Amino acid sequence: MLPRAETYGELIRDFRWDIPARLNMAAQVCDDWAARAPDRVAIIDMTGAERRTVSYGRSRQMADGLAHELVASGVKRGDRVGVLRSQSPWTAAAHIACWKLGAISIPLFKLFGVEALITRLEDAGVELVVADPDGTEGLTEWLKGAGRQALVPETCDLSDARFETADTGSEDPAVLIYTSGTTGAPKGALHGHRVLTGHLPGVEVSHDFLGQQGDCLWTPADWAWIGGLFDVLMPGLALGVPVVAARMDKFTVAECRRIVDVAGVRNVFFPPTALRMLKAEDAAISGLRSVASGGEPLGAEMLDWGRRAFGLRINEFYGQTECNMVASSCGALFSPKPGCLGKPAPGFEIAVLDGDGNPFDGEGDIAIRKGAASMMLEYWNRPEATAEKFVGDWMLTGDRGTWDGDFLRFVGREDDVITSAGYRIGPSEIEDGLLKHPAVATVGVVGKPDPLRTEIVKAYVVLKPGYEPSEALAKELQDFAKARVAKHSYPREIAFLDALPMTVTGKVIRKELKRRAAEEIAHD
Ligand code: ATP
Ligand code: MG
């Protein structure tokens, strides 16, 4: 755990990664605590009618039983095992069981359609799928055809025998996580056992030093996403902070408040999409000690609202499936700078590279120095993509931004930056500006090809209830953006939509909006 610092300088000054050569995440999140404090609460289970707790001792028993079962089912070291389950203590046990025997777990989202699942299962070459009791209907045929089985822990008669955790190296593969697929086909990021250690500093900082007396961690995000699995579940277990397992078929303010109250949640990771839903209803939530968010631009407007709604600063963090928890704000140490992603987390060195791959102080590619513990080993089965990702001493994020040695600013994804009349324009700043207008619920800004200006800025706007699309409103929004953001980057075109295209993780798919904008040209 990080020592409690008084300033950011103090926080990073003496930090060094301390990664033992032999490391297994199952020991970090389960065995070590079970040996030291078997009765300590690991998971608060809110998935049933009643609140129940699972201790580290019980957690080890579950993982051990499941590990024996996996071995009996033919799973060997290095094999890939899909974990197609929503939040529950058994879901945590499934990952831990895989790591115990040296297998590679693959978090899989239950909201994925059959096609999306099969793509990932085939790409990863999974040996077995650990499933929820409600089954894998859509996959039955595929499993049969591929000669693969599904295992449901709840229905197994598991052994009580101890399972000795495999002796693994910190660089041995442990988990394969697919990227969100926001910009293209999802890629599998293969991580070693050090990945959890690599998340801890950023997670602790983004919760204003997670691990205080009474802390209790929850996220409405699914554990099948890196944000759920490695920003919440596994760090909580490793740090001895109880983690809440709850399912929300639909995110509602009432359910959110119930979980916080009944489980005693003090620390939340709200993905931006959840914050947007809370903000749309101006829903305050009390009793929290820290709120972290990341995965998409949050915007200054949201930070302002957060102070009122939670009575604290939302700490925005930045990272990606390939290397996560790279930078974060930390309200306990410094004021966030609007439009910025915070400062590098302890252990991460950030640079912005120019076109030749050299660090400079302008706007360019955000890169992370190799050696950070949460950095992936490689893309699964994609040597060319891996080679493009790592250049010299750096891992390229594919995001554009600036780094002045003080704050990291995010401009946009490389593919999303708009080139208009010689200017390079990041969509997030314009979106953030438009969101301040009372009529705007959500907005996606993209470049629309234009013969004169290369691209023009086009905004797709979803209005709040009570507002009707009109030319007058479009004009008003344009003037608003001109006054609030910049004259050169105001949206020359505005279109109103009922909803924006979203990934299952709730990210705006700008690629779809761009395709739409390009298609419009044919009809203009
Ligand atoms: P794919 O790589 O498949 O296109 P993806 O990049 O959305 O999908 P993730 O790894 O889940 O998949 O997301 C990481 C990306 O999310 C980052 O590279 C960055 O573009 C964006 N992101 C993360 N945190 C923030 C943040 N705080 N502000 C703005 N963007 C962010
Ligand atoms: Mg990406």
Side-chain angles (χ1 to χ4, degrees):
M1 204 178 276
L2 290 174
R4 179 73 198 249
E6 297 300 324
T7 63
Y8 177 73
E10 196 185 307
L11 175 75
I12 57 165
R13 194 185 312 130
D14 299 322
F15 183 89
R16 297 284 173 278
W17 292 114
D18 177 20
I19 301 190
R22 310 305 297 172
L23 181 67
N24 189 303
M25 288 192 283
Q28 286 179 287
V29 300
C30 178
D31 300 349
D32 292 353
W33 281 106
R36 248 184 299 157
D39 298 329
R40 191 178 174 115
V41 175
I43 295 180
I44 298 174
D45 182 5
M46 299 279 294
T47 60
E50 277 164 44
R51 174 190 192 277
R52 283 190 304 197
T53 58
V54 177
S55 67
Y56 281 98
R58 171 69 186 139
S59 167
R60 177 172 61 187
Q61 199 184 18
M62 291 162 76
D64 283 354
L66 205 46
H68 281 296
E69 191 71 20
L70 289 173
V71 171
S73 308
V75 177
K76 301 176 301 300
R77 204 171 168 136
D79 283 350
R80 276 79 58 211
V81 175
V83 180
L84 178 56
R85 296 183 51 102
S86 50
Q87 287 87 320
S88 91
W90 279 113
T91 307
H95 288 284
I96 300 168
C98 290
W99 302 337
K100 275 184 170 268
L101 65 97
I104 302 171
S105 71
I106 307 173
L108 293 168
F109 216 162
K110 286 202 70 180
L111 289 186
F112 279 139
V114 182
E115 287 303 313
L117 278 176
I118 294 175
T119 307
R120 287 164 178 79
L121 293 170
E122 291 190 338
D123 182 64
V126 299
E127 189 59 36
L128 179 147
V129 176
V130 182
D132 264 344
D134 65 0
T136 49
E137 312 95 67
L139 278 183
T140 315
E141 215 165 288
W142 180 86
L143 288 165
K144 222 164 100 195
R148 299 288 180 257
Q149 44 175 324
L151 193 154
V152 178
E154 287 90 336
T155 62
C156 292
D157 183 17
L158 297 177
S159 128
D160 278 338
R162 276 288 167 79
F163 187 99
E164 196 176 336
T165 296
D167 176 30
T168 50
S170 59
E171 303 266 321
D172 288 352
V175 57
L176 177 58
I177 310 181
Y178 284 86
T179 60
S180 298
T182 312
T183 52
K187 301 171 287 281
L190 184 66
H191 284 279
H193 281 275
R194 61 171 153 77
V195 66
L196 172 57
T197 308
H199 276 76
L200 295 178
V203 170
E204 288 176 57
V205 164
S206 69
H207 286 287
D208 295 327
F209 297 95
L210 187 65
Q212 314 283 307
Q213 188 70 31
D215 275 359
C216 174
L217 188 57
W218 172 60
T219 182
D222 202 278
W223 292 351
W225 180 41
I226 193 159
L229 195 62
F230 281 103
D231 296 353
V232 175
L233 175 62
M234 296 303 168
L237 295 179
L239 295 169
V241 174
V243 178
V244 176
R247 289 178 201 165
M248 284 178 123
D249 293 333
K250 196 172 179 315
F251 184 90
T252 63
V253 175
E255 182 59 4
C256 188
R257 285 201 182 117
R258 188 188 74 85
I259 292 168
V260 169
D261 290 346
V262 177
V265 172
R266 300 266 292 150
N267 321 84
V268 189
F269 160 44
F270 279 126
T273 177
L275 287 175
R276 287 194 289 261
M277 287 188 235
L278 291 173
K279 183 167 174 279
E281 297 187 37
D282 201 14
I285 293 183
S286 54
L288 300 179
R289 188 183 72 74
S290 63
V291 171
S293 186
E296 262 196 309
L298 215 58
E301 175 73 5
M302 186 63 87
L303 297 180
D304 284 348
W305 175 79
R307 287 211 79 139
R308 296 198 303 276
F310 307 122
L312 45 81
R313 284 186 182 134
I314 300 175
N315 288 326
E316 180 169 3
F317 61 80
Y318 165 78
Q320 53 180 212
T321 310
E322 296 90 335
C323 185
N324 203 18
M325 276 294 168
V326 168
S328 178
S329 281
C330 180
L333 293 183
F334 54 87
S335 304
K337 193 164 162 191
C340 290
L341 300 170
K343 299 171 184 282
F348 291 85
E349 186 184 337
I350 290 176
V352 164
L353 307 184
D354 63 17
D356 300 323
N358 299 312
F360 79 134
D361 58 7
E363 181 196 309
D365 304 336
I366 301 175
I368 305 157
R369 189 182 285 278
K370 281 187 196 164
S374 67
M375 196 171 280
M376 68 171 178
L377 303 169
E378 60 182 26
Y379 283 123
W380 179 257
N381 275 342
R382 283 182 175 76
E384 313 80 46
T386 305
E388 281 173 22
K389 189 82 178 163
F390 293 99
V391 174
D393 294 334
W394 305 97
M395 190 201 90
L396 308 178
T397 61
D399 292 321
R400 292 188 66 84
T402 62
W403 165 237
D404 59 8
D406 193 17
F407 277 96
L408 178 67
R409 193 168 68 87
F410 177 80
V411 171
R413 290 166 184 267
E414 214 130 278
D415 303 342
D416 291 342
V417 173
I418 302 161
T419 308
S420 186
Y423 294 109
R424 291 178 60 80
I425 300 166
S428 19
E429 200 182 9
I430 309 170
E431 289 169 2
D432 195 24
L434 284 171
L435 275 171
K436 296 198 172 81
H437 190 281
V440 178
T442 52
V443 53
V445 165
V446 295
K448 173 174 171 177
D450 181 82
L452 193 64
R453 297 185 161 81
T454 318
E455 286 180 311
I456 58 161
V457 176
K458 170 131 198 179
Y460 290 93
V461 172
V462 179
L463 292 173
K464 283 191 187 148
Y467 291 90
E468 290 297 323
S470 71
E471 269 187 37
L473 182 55
K475 174 82 177 50
E476 188 181 320
L477 291 175
Q478 287 175 320
D479 290 341
F480 190 81
K482 267 190 217 169
R484 298 278 180 129
V485 190
K487 287 213 171 58
H488 73 281
S489 64
Y490 82 96
R492 283 178 184 268
E493 285 186 17
I494 290 196
F496 297 100
L497 297 180
D498 294 334
L500 297 181
M502 295 271 196
T503 64
V504 280
T505 50
K507 294 193 191 202
V508 175
I509 311 178
R510 288 216 187 71
K511 178 180 64 171
E512 288 279 318
L513 294 176
K514 267 190 269 183
R515 195 176 46 81
R516 200 184 175 109
E519 277 172 8
E520 286 167 9
I521 300 194
H523 307 286
D524 281 353

